[in-house]
Amino acid sequence: MITDNPVCVTGASGFIAAHIVRELLSRGYKVKGTVRKNPWEYPFLLNLPGAHERLKLEKADLLEKGAFDKVISGCEYVLHTASPFEINVTDPQTDLVDPAVNGTENVLESCLKAGSVRRVVLTSSIAAITDEPENSKVYTEKDWNTMSSLDRNPYYYSKTLAERAAWDFIMHKKPGFDLVAINPPLVIGPSLGSSLNTSKLMIRDIMTGLYPAIMDMYWGFTDVRDVAKIHRLAMETETASGRYLCTAGTMHMRELVELIKSSGYTKYPLPKISLTGKAGTAVIKMLSFTKPRNIGKYIRTQVGRIMNCDVTKLKNDFGISFIPLNTSVIETVEDLRKWGHLKTV
Ligand code: NAP
């Protein structure tokens, strides 16, 4: 343990943040988590081992200036994960960019005011690295997404602007704390609560017939338990700095479907036909125009693309070995079933 003071985790109710809270409590830390509803509405957090003695939940909204002042006061470490994660929004500026960017600045302003903060760990994303990977390239922490906009992959845009805003804050305000950014791909694994976040929704959609065909989609995955551990290590490792890619591995949609089927989940409407290769991808791109605008754009920028990530920096600095992808996928499917998010045919 590196601090006796509480560690602040923003958006503690979220899929990833809940695991961060659990990870910190399991290591003996005191935790102050921020939420949007009344604390008693989060029994899955309040019942975690150690929570009764060491977890305090407080209300704070990203869009309310000064909302984080009180909760961050006295903390040495702040793990800022709260940010909306949605692909199909009606107003990208107010639904995504404002809470992501203004929220990050709000949290950093509160850290500055507190005077006690030594490090902020920011949950960024591979969305801030690229939104249309080049298949021949190996991406590193030096890469920045320069293509997204309000009109093109706005979630990616919100994450890019939020991370940039955080680095600009550090550069211009030179606060007494440093910043470490974590850039995960799609995060999967078991949920501590019953709600369904966007990355798990993607697996749910594959299993509930939303995708009629297997297409050339490649997904980079990391298990949520590893992402939580990486946040803790980014906080604890004094020499940690800059950004960290943390992709555990990549799977083609066909591999994913085969894995699910071969693990006994055969009663679900998984895609049967294939629309792959150049011709299949052309058809998928055409069909994508029948989808809601943001979903269509997302499909067109992702289909046929694979994102190769170099995670040497993460491995060197934190010495982490990842939970195998097959385990994460199957535990995700089982968890979706357990919480009642799947229906059989
Ligand atoms: P999630 O379950 O949807 O969690 C998002 C969290 O942000 C929730 O706690 C939510 O609170 C909070 N939030 C949203 N708008 C807010 C606002 N205006 N004020 C205060 N809190 C607000 O998503 P997640 O998958 O855990 O994602 C958490 C973080 O990881 C996000 O920054 C996301 O961009 C990043 N990330 C996720 C993935 C992934 O695949 N899951 C990959 C890379 C990066 P409520 O519970 O009240 O809605």
Side-chain angles (χ1 to χ4, degrees):
M1 261 191 23
I2 53 165
T3 179
D4 286 332
N5 292 322
V7 175
C8 177
V9 179
T10 69
S13 53
F15 169 54
I16 295 177
H19 276 273
I20 295 176
V21 171
R22 179 166 83 164
E23 172 78 14
L24 293 172
L25 289 173
S26 76
R27 296 275 164 164
Y29 288 102
K30 294 180 198 130
V31 180
K32 280 192 202 170
T34 74
V35 288
R36 284 200 283 183
K37 294 188 277 182
N38 292 314
W40 50 263
E41 293 184 64
Y42 303 94
F44 66 97
L45 293 174
L46 297 172
N47 292 330
L48 285 170
H52 187 65
E53 306 80 32
R54 288 180 280 115
L55 174 65
K56 206 163 171 227
L57 297 179
E58 296 194 19
K59 271 179 150 183
D61 194 293
L62 290 170
L63 291 165
E64 198 185 310
K65 267 202 177 327
F68 293 83
D69 286 0
K70 186 171 151 261
V71 66
I72 288 176
S73 162
C75 294
E76 288 175 88
Y77 297 93
V78 174
L79 311 190
H80 175 41
T81 79
S83 202
F85 179 16
E86 280 177 68
I87 301 297
N88 194 27
V89 293
T90 39
D91 184 342
Q93 182 68 45
T94 53
D95 296 343
L96 292 170
V97 173
D98 288 348
V101 178
N102 303 348
T104 297
E105 287 171 346
N106 259 344
V107 168
L108 294 175
E109 282 294 349
S110 300
C111 294
L112 192 63
K113 275 190 223 164
S116 52
V117 178
R118 295 159 66 96
R119 174 169 292 171
V120 174
V121 178
L122 172 73
T123 316
S124 186
S125 168
I126 52 151
I129 304 284
T130 180
D131 81 348
E132 189 168 6
E134 289 169 36
N135 295 3
S136 56
K137 187 174 157 88
V138 176
Y139 286 84
T140 71
E141 287 81 5
K142 290 197 180 80
D143 291 296
W144 275 95
N145 174 355
T146 54
M147 307 229 276
S148 297
S149 66
L150 281 180
D151 202 38
R152 172 191 155 115
N153 292 330
Y155 166 71
Y156 284 64
Y157 188 50
S158 73
K159 293 303 286 181
T160 308
L161 292 184
E163 196 195 323
R164 281 226 184 265
W167 290 116
D168 284 350
F169 187 100
I170 299 293
M171 196 162 63
H172 296 302
K173 305 226 171 173
K174 299 192 174 25
F177 55 86
D178 66 2
L179 176 73
V180 176
I182 310 298
N183 300 77
L186 271 184
V187 180
I188 56 172
S191 298
L192 298 181
S194 63
S195 69
L196 186 57
N197 81 313
T198 296
S199 48
K200 290 184 70 177
L201 187 73
M202 198 275 299
I203 308 251
R204 198 278 309 257
D205 286 348
I206 291 176
M207 296 195 67
T208 51
L210 203 85
Y211 293 89
I214 290 174
M215 44 188 175
D216 279 333
M217 284 291 241
Y218 296 86
W219 285 292
F221 292 124
T222 305
D223 193 287
V224 66
R225 293 159 289 191
D226 284 338
V227 173
K229 194 196 272 184
I230 290 165
H231 278 74
R232 175 182 57 78
L233 290 168
M235 172 186 100
E236 289 179 341
T237 310
E238 207 174 337
T239 50
S241 67
R243 317 171 85 193
Y244 286 91
L245 283 172
C246 55
T247 301
T250 302
M251 262 191 190
H252 186 278
M253 188 171 175
R254 176 177 293 108
E255 281 177 89
L256 190 67
V257 170
E258 286 307 322
L259 172 63
I260 295 171
K261 271 201 286 196
S262 66
S263 304
Y265 297 92
T266 49
K267 289 186 185 147
Y268 298 93
L270 288 156
K272 287 195 176 68
I273 59 162
S274 245
L275 280 174
T276 54
K278 265 194 179 158
T281 295
V283 174
I284 293 289
K285 283 191 177 174
M286 255 165 45
L287 290 175
S288 73
F289 285 96
T290 64
K291 298 273 176 203
R293 214 164 75 127
N294 291 325
I295 306 258
K297 282 227 166 98
Y298 172 75
I299 292 173
R300 288 193 290 286
T301 50
Q302 299 299 309
V303 66
R305 306 272 174 173
I306 181 163
M307 185 170 178
N308 304 296
C309 289
D310 180 354
V311 293
T312 311
K313 184 176 177 237
L314 180 91
K315 292 207 163 175
N316 285 346
D317 288 6
F318 303 149
I320 185 163
S321 53
F322 292 109
I323 294 170
L325 237 51
N326 287 13
T327 307
S328 301
V329 168
I330 294 310
E331 290 189 11
T332 305
V333 171
E334 185 48 32
D335 193 65
L336 289 168
R337 195 198 57 73
K338 178 186 107 183
W339 290 112
H341 295 307
L342 299 177
K343 40 183 194 301
T344 51
V345 281

